[in-house]
Amino acid sequence: RAAGPREGRCGLFLPRKARFCGMRRLDGGGPLCPIHTRESERRGRRVPCPRDPSHSVFEARLDAHLAKCNATRDLLELAQQPYFAPGINSGDPAEAGAPWPAGAGEPAPAAGG
C-alpha cells in the first residue's frame, strides 16, 4: 500500500488499483479531488460517457457533453467517409444490410481450398 497521496493530490485510496487517486485536489478545498469530493455529489451523479467510457460526466450535463465530446466528433467524421458502413462487422446481415453488392453474387471460393 502506498504511504500516502502525493502533495496536492486526492487522498482517496483506490483498492482495485492499489494506489491513491492521482487527480489534483480542489483549490482551497478538502483532501479529495472534484470527482471524489462530496461537492461533486451535490451537483449530481457522475455517469460514464456513452460514446467513450474512459471518462465520466455529471448526469445533468450529459446532453451538453455529448455535443462537444471528442468521441462524438470522431464518430461523425468516420460516418462521412465513403468506406464506412455501420454494423458491417456485427455478424448480423439484417443489421448491416446486404452482405455483398447488388449483382455481385456469392464470393468465389478461396484458392487452393
Side-chain angles (χ1 to χ4, degrees), residues 12-84:
L12 183 77
F13 186 76
L14 305 169
R16 282 186 27 205
K17 295 183 177 183
R19 64 173 174 79
F20 284 90
C21 173
M23 298 289 289
R24 292 184 57 179
R25 291 187 294 199
L26 290 170
D27 292 336
L32 301 177
C33 67
I35 293 175
H36 297 121
T37 188
R38 298 207 188 281
E39 177 71 24
S40 295
E41 292 172 10
R42 273 193 276 157
R43 288 191 280 170
R45 189 172 68 115
R46 289 189 75 88
V47 295
C49 172
R51 302 274 190 234
D52 181 8
S54 70
H55 61 274
S56 63
V57 296
F58 289 111
E59 193 170 32
R61 305 245 333 126
L62 187 58
D63 291 335
H65 169 75
L66 290 176
K68 63 182 179 180
C69 180
N70 289 340
T72 302
R73 183 200 64 212
D74 293 346
L75 286 172
L76 290 174
E77 285 179 10
L78 180 63
Q80 293 175 356
Q81 301 301 318
Y83 54 81
F84 180 76

Side-chain angles (χ1 to χ4, degrees), residues 83-101:
Y83 54 81
F84 180 76
I88 194 72
N89 292 323
S90 69
D92 182 4
E95 184 178 317
W100 311 108

